[in-house]
Amino acid sequence: MMNILHNQWELGEEESKTTGPWCAYYLLFDILSKAERMIIKKLNNKVMGFCAYEKRGSKKFLIRKKFYKSLKLLIVKSPFIKDKKAFVRYNGLYDKIESKFDNKYDGDIIIFIVDKKHQGKGYGTKLLKKAFDFAKKDNMKKLKIVTDDDCNYKYYESLGFKKIYEEPIYFDKNKKYKEEQFIYEVNLKEGE
């Protein structure tokens, strides 16, 4: 999973002057510190995609979540992250905007990624639909997902997500490097 994250997304490596997969490890530990359920797709015993959701207010898996949260903090404090302020700023950009909407939803799709070599084959759709099924069993009705223009965000609309928010986020203080951030929502009870 870490390799997929590291190979497909930049994750603040440039901003924090970090080499190697440390930003990907941080993101993976962040996901595992929040995930209610992780759905993994393997092919020939190799991970080719995964999806996870977070349930707001959940008390499940607290020991596991605290363990991964502490690993995440160790990475931030490690010598591998050269510019810690830039790293914290980069990772906080999404959280700041996203938190405005938290009280409207039962939870979030906190990760959805398919290895580029396996995209376009229906694996992603199967991953998300499986996540929806598990979320429904957890009595969740409405989820949101945060994405950006670096991803195929229009794909979510084909699965019933509706765009509810769009805003640029700037990765540098001079506001030269930016991405468009989108928040999509899906109502799990529609179409039943």
Side-chain angles (χ1 to χ4, degrees):
M1 291 189 299
M2 185 278 307
N3 284 331
I4 293 173
L5 293 170
H6 179 64
N7 293 331
Q8 285 186 212
W9 293 343
E10 197 270 325
L11 304 173
E13 292 169 359
E14 185 178 323
E15 291 79 3
S16 63
K17 299 173 180 62
T18 301
T19 56
W22 297 104
C23 294
Y25 275 119
Y26 176 88
L27 178 58
L28 184 57
F29 294 155
D30 186 52
I31 293 161
L32 292 169
S33 74
K34 297 174 183 174
E36 192 73 11
R37 182 171 301 265
M38 177 83 71
I39 299 96
I40 301 169
K41 176 67 179 164
K42 290 183 178 183
L43 188 63
N44 298 325
N45 220 16
K46 187 175 180 181
V47 174
M48 51 176 278
F50 55 101
C51 179
Y53 67 86
E54 175 182 22
K55 183 177 180 183
R56 203 122 8 265
S58 174
K59 303 289 187 222
K60 285 184 181 177
F61 314 117
L62 289 178
I63 293 172
R64 183 200 75 205
K65 291 175 181 181
K66 286 181 181 180
F67 172 73
Y68 284 110
K69 191 173 185 175
S70 64
L71 289 178
K72 184 174 87 164
L73 294 174
L74 285 174
I75 287 177
V76 174
K77 294 178 180 182
S78 77
F80 304 113
I81 306 295
K82 305 291 185 218
D83 187 337
K84 294 174 187 346
K85 284 183 182 178
F87 183 77
V88 169
R89 182 181 179 282
Y90 178 91
N91 283 287
L93 288 171
Y94 284 89
D95 294 341
K96 184 176 138 188
I97 296 168
E98 187 179 352
S99 64
K100 295 178 189 179
F101 298 91
D102 283 349
N103 60 354
K104 287 180 61 178
Y105 300 94
D106 300 312
D108 303 89
I109 299 290
I110 53 176
I111 185 69
F112 172 63
I113 188 167
V114 175
D115 189 313
K116 285 185 180 181
K117 295 179 279 190
H118 299 289
Q119 291 177 1
K121 299 176 183 174
Y123 298 127
T125 301
K126 289 177 185 172
L127 277 170
L128 270 177
K129 287 187 178 186
K130 199 168 190 179
F132 295 165
D133 290 342
F134 283 122
K136 286 178 190 177
K137 288 177 185 172
D138 273 339
N139 297 314
M140 298 172 75
K141 296 174 184 80
K142 241 179 161 178
L143 296 172
K144 74 174 175 20
I145 189 167
V146 177
T147 189
D148 56 52
D149 58 3
D150 197 33
C151 301
N152 184 7
Y153 58 92
K154 294 280 185 183
Y155 167 77
Y156 298 113
E157 293 171 11
S158 72
L159 294 175
F161 283 83
K162 293 179 186 134
K163 183 168 45 168
I164 59 158
Y165 190 76
E166 181 176 342
E167 181 175 327
I169 54 173
Y170 297 94
F171 296 104
D172 65 338
K173 293 176 184 173
N174 300 323
K175 295 193 172 192
K176 290 181 181 175
Y177 174 56
K178 74 170 188 167
E179 287 181 350
E180 290 296 319
Q181 178 182 22
F182 309 102
I183 297 179
Y184 281 83
E185 71 178 15
V186 65
N187 187 340
L188 299 177
K189 297 297 181 184
E190 285 182 8
E192 285 188 349

